[in-house]
Amino acid sequence: MIKKIVLLLVILALASCSSSKPAIATTKKAADVQTRTASAKRTAPAKPTAKYPSTNNTTEVIQSTSKTVVTSDLINNYVLQYKDIAMGNMKTYGIPASIILAQGILESGAGRGDLAVDANNHFGIKCHNDWLGESVRHDDDSAQECFRKYPQASESYRDHALFLVGKKRYATLFTYEKDDYKSWAKGLRAAGYATDPKYPDKLISYIERYNLHQYDCQVTGRNYVPINTSVPPKKSSYDVASDPKINMNSNDPNLYEVQKGDTLYSISKKFNLLVDDLKQKNNLTDNAISIGQRLKVK
């Protein structure tokens, strides 16, 4: 009987020791894992934030349908986000990818402008009579104009291509080479896409500063040669003093000097005029005005 009791006690003691060991082993393993994880976190290299790191992250103001402050890094990231869509549209519709991206940057403020944020409208396309989709109201040449609204940005890119292909006034563009971005930039302005006389220069500047022509070359299979943007651009030959619209008597009370942020619409409201009357008084053929320009308002 005593032997049975002793044997039972030995079995119970062995069982107790056996059950306590896994807890110790598990605790040690967890500690090892935590140590290794912490060490890995300390030694792991930081992930890059962009494929095109900018050595000089400059800031600029993009003035289109809204005034937007952007950096060069934001523009690079915008290009990375939409370059594949632009190249796809180039293959399908024949519009240079560089032009598509440059217009996207300029018209949407690199995706940060009001229309891009509120309506996914990256190209400033207004409703026109044939638009059946959603729309938003936004001040541009006139107050609360109708602009197209899209469910997503890719639809804006597609509609931009269809807009150029479907309008007769842009037909001349498609006679240019697919990768002739300079002719396309000038042709867009000539066809009436924008009223800003500097519109072509702005598009070309974005294309050459951000190497957007490389995406044209990826589609056409041609070799891409980067533009040397370290050379300062030539000074514009435009002379304000020689402009007949500006060279007027500065003391004339019937004249108004255009200020930063002015539009023909805002000036017409200030002097209780119609935009058409203001244009007629100053022999203007479009809505383009320049800071410092003097307009007849009486």
Side-chain angles (χ1 to χ4, degrees), residues 185-207:
K186 295 172 184 176
L188 281 166
R189 166 73 174 90
Y193 193 98
T195 57
D196 183 358
K198 296 181 180 179
Y199 194 77
D201 294 334
K202 291 177 181 179
L203 294 182
I204 293 169
S205 174
Y206 283 123
I207 290 169

Side-chain angles (χ1 to χ4, degrees), residues 9-288:
L9 291 173
V10 170
I11 292 171
L12 290 173
L14 288 173
S16 174
C17 291
S18 176
S19 64
S20 64
K21 286 181 180 179
I24 296 172
T26 301
T27 302
K28 183 178 180 183
K29 185 181 286 186
D32 289 342
V33 170
Q34 288 176 352
T35 302
R36 287 197 299 272
T37 302
S39 176
K41 286 181 178 179
R42 288 195 298 269
T43 59
K47 293 182 179 180
T49 56
K51 291 184 180 180
Y52 294 105
S54 174
T55 56
N56 184 19
N57 191 21
T58 56
T59 301
E60 64 179 284
V61 176
I62 298 178
Q63 182 74 50
S64 54
T65 51
S66 60
K67 182 178 179 181
T68 313
V69 180
V70 298
T71 63
S72 55
D73 278 352
L74 281 174
I75 294 176
N76 275 323
N77 289 334
Y78 180 87
V79 171
L80 288 174
Q81 185 174 0
Y82 295 108
K83 64 182 179 64
D84 291 331
I85 295 177
M87 287 190 289
N89 282 3
M90 181 176 180
K91 293 174 184 177
T92 303
Y93 302 103
I95 305 165
S98 59
I99 285 290
I100 296 171
L101 290 168
Q103 281 196 281
I105 292 168
L106 179 56
E107 298 287 350
S108 77
R112 299 302 181 95
D114 292 343
L115 280 177
V117 173
D118 298 337
N120 284 316
N121 188 331
H122 284 236
F123 296 92
I125 300 180
K126 297 178 183 179
C127 293
H128 301 288
N129 295 330
D130 57 348
W131 179 245
L132 302 177
E134 292 188 71
S135 63
V136 294
R137 295 287 172 175
H138 183 78
D139 289 350
D140 192 39
D141 295 327
S142 300
Q144 293 297 287
E145 291 190 89
C146 183
F147 285 86
R148 303 182 181 191
K149 181 178 181 180
Y150 307 93
Q152 52 193 13
S154 60
E155 290 298 313
S156 175
Y157 270 74
R158 179 175 178 273
D159 192 47
H160 167 260
L162 294 174
F163 183 78
L164 294 183
V165 170
K167 300 288 184 183
K168 289 183 179 180
R169 61 176 171 163
Y170 298 117
T172 304
L173 296 174
F174 295 91
T175 64
Y176 305 141
E177 291 290 332
K178 281 186 178 181
D179 58 355
D180 185 0
Y181 62 86
K182 290 184 179 179
S183 292
W184 274 80
K186 295 172 184 176
L188 281 166
R189 166 73 174 90
Y193 193 98
T195 57
D196 183 358
K198 296 181 180 179
Y199 194 77
D201 294 334
K202 291 177 181 179
L203 294 182
I204 293 169
S205 174
Y206 283 123
I207 290 169
E208 296 182 348
R209 278 191 288 150
Y210 293 94
N211 299 310
L212 304 184
H213 185 50
Q214 65 177 301
Y215 304 115
D216 299 336
C217 294
Q218 287 185 34
V219 174
T220 61
R222 296 178 181 176
N223 291 329
Y224 171 65
V225 179
I227 302 295
N228 183 9
T229 56
S230 62
V231 179
K234 293 181 180 179
K235 187 176 180 181
S236 172
S237 59
Y238 176 74
D239 184 3
V240 173
S242 65
D243 191 327
K245 297 177 184 176
I246 299 175
N247 190 17
M248 300 175 179
N249 184 355
S250 59
N251 297 320
D252 191 336
N254 296 323
L255 300 179
Y256 172 77
E257 183 175 318
V258 177
Q259 306 296 313
K260 186 176 181 180
D262 278 341
T263 64
L264 283 182
Y265 177 76
S266 66
I267 296 171
S268 68
K269 288 298 181 185
K270 186 178 295 185
F271 293 96
N272 196 27
L273 293 169
L274 295 175
V275 172
D276 288 341
D277 291 342
L278 188 59
K279 291 169 69 174
Q280 186 176 5
K281 284 177 180 290
N282 294 276
N283 297 318
L284 299 176
T285 58
D286 54 35
N287 294 325

